[in-house]
């Protein structure tokens, strides 16, 4: 059986700077009509900066929707005309000041595929050099450096709840074990 849902009519409800909310009329696989509400997003990147001492450079920042501080891998949206790799290089330098080195792709993450088109491209960064942070005007981040094993433990105990950070860190830890 083909499970594909077919778009009958795309309906833009809200057109924001980053998010674009739709409520589309669709046809279900059995032909019956229905609707789907979802948000289009241009995509994002995240980077696990890993030092030679097996430490991870993280950023701590306030996340307004969750009303709390979070500990995350450096990340951000892909700018128009930018490749995921270019976005990863830019975000890493903006948030941490780190530049150069080697960025290795480790996969893609669908953050919430039932309601959001966002795809996060994940990377591991090694061999970088330090520099000055230059975050966006509305971005306030603190750099935190922790051993990879400690970051994994913080994920397992629920202290780190950010999905992209969990996925990228756990994937990094598993890849290093192979």
């Amino acid at each position: 059986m083909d499970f594909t849902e077919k778009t009958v009519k795309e309906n833009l409800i809200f057109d924001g700077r980053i998010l674009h909310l739709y409520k589309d009329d669709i046809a279900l696989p059995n032909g019956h009509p229905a609707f789907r509400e979802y948000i289009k997003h241009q995509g994002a990147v995240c980077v696990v900066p890993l030092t030679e001492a097996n430490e991870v450079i993280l950023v701590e920042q306030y996340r307004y929707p969750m009303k709390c501080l979070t500990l995350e891998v450096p990340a951000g949206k892909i700018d128009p005309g930018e490749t995921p790799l270019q976005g990863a290089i830019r975000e890493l330098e903006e948030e941490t000041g780190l530049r150069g080195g080697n960025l290795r792709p480790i996969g893609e993450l669908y953050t919430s595929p039932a309601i959001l088109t966002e795809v996060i491209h994940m990377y591991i960064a090694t061999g970088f050099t330090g520099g000055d942070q230059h975050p966006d005007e509305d971005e306030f981040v603190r750099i935190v450096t922790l051993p990879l094993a400690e970051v994994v433990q913080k994920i397992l105990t629920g202290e780190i709840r950010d999905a992209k950070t969990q996925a990228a860190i756990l994937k990094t830890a598993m890849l290093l074990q192979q």
Side-chain angles (χ1 to χ4, degrees), residues 61 63 75-76 91 94-95 134-141:
Q61 58 190 321
R63 290 299 193 179
E91 285 293 339
E94 284 179 6
E95 293 190 0
H134 47 275
D136 293 335
E137 186 177 285
D138 63 347
E139 190 173 41
F140 301 89
V141 298

Side-chain angles (χ1 to χ4, degrees), residues 12 21 23 41 50 61 65 75 85 93 100 109 119 124 138 163:
L12 179 63
L21 176 63
K23 183 177 179 183
H41 184 281
L50 196 59
Q61 58 190 321
L85 179 59
E93 186 173 342
L109 172 69
V119 175
I124 298 173
D138 63 347

Side-chain angles (χ1 to χ4, degrees), residues 73-124:
V73 293
K77 64 180 176 41
I78 299 170
D79 287 342
E82 210 174 37
T83 66
L85 179 59
Q86 290 168 331
I89 292 167
R90 178 185 47 74
E91 285 293 339
L92 183 61
E93 186 173 342
E94 284 179 6
E95 293 190 0
T96 66
L98 302 174
R99 61 177 79 77
N102 187 19
L103 267 75
R104 172 184 170 197
I106 59 169
E108 297 177 349
L109 172 69
Y110 291 177
T111 57
S112 190
I115 62 165
L116 183 60
T117 65
E118 180 183 39
V119 175
I120 297 180
H121 303 266
M122 299 180 291
Y123 294 86
I124 298 173

Side-chain angles (χ1 to χ4, degrees), residues 58-78:
L58 301 161
V59 292
E60 185 177 47
Q61 58 190 321
Y62 186 79
R63 290 299 193 179
Y64 180 81
M66 303 313 294
K67 306 286 193 266
C68 67
L69 283 173
T70 61
L71 194 57
E72 306 175 24
V73 293
K77 64 180 176 41
I78 299 170

Side-chain angles (χ1 to χ4, degrees), residues 44-64:
V45 295
C46 74
V47 182
V48 178
L50 196 59
T51 70
E52 288 182 18
N54 233 24
E55 294 174 318
V56 179
I57 315 263
L58 301 161
V59 292
E60 185 177 47
Q61 58 190 321
Y62 186 79
R63 290 299 193 179
Y64 180 81

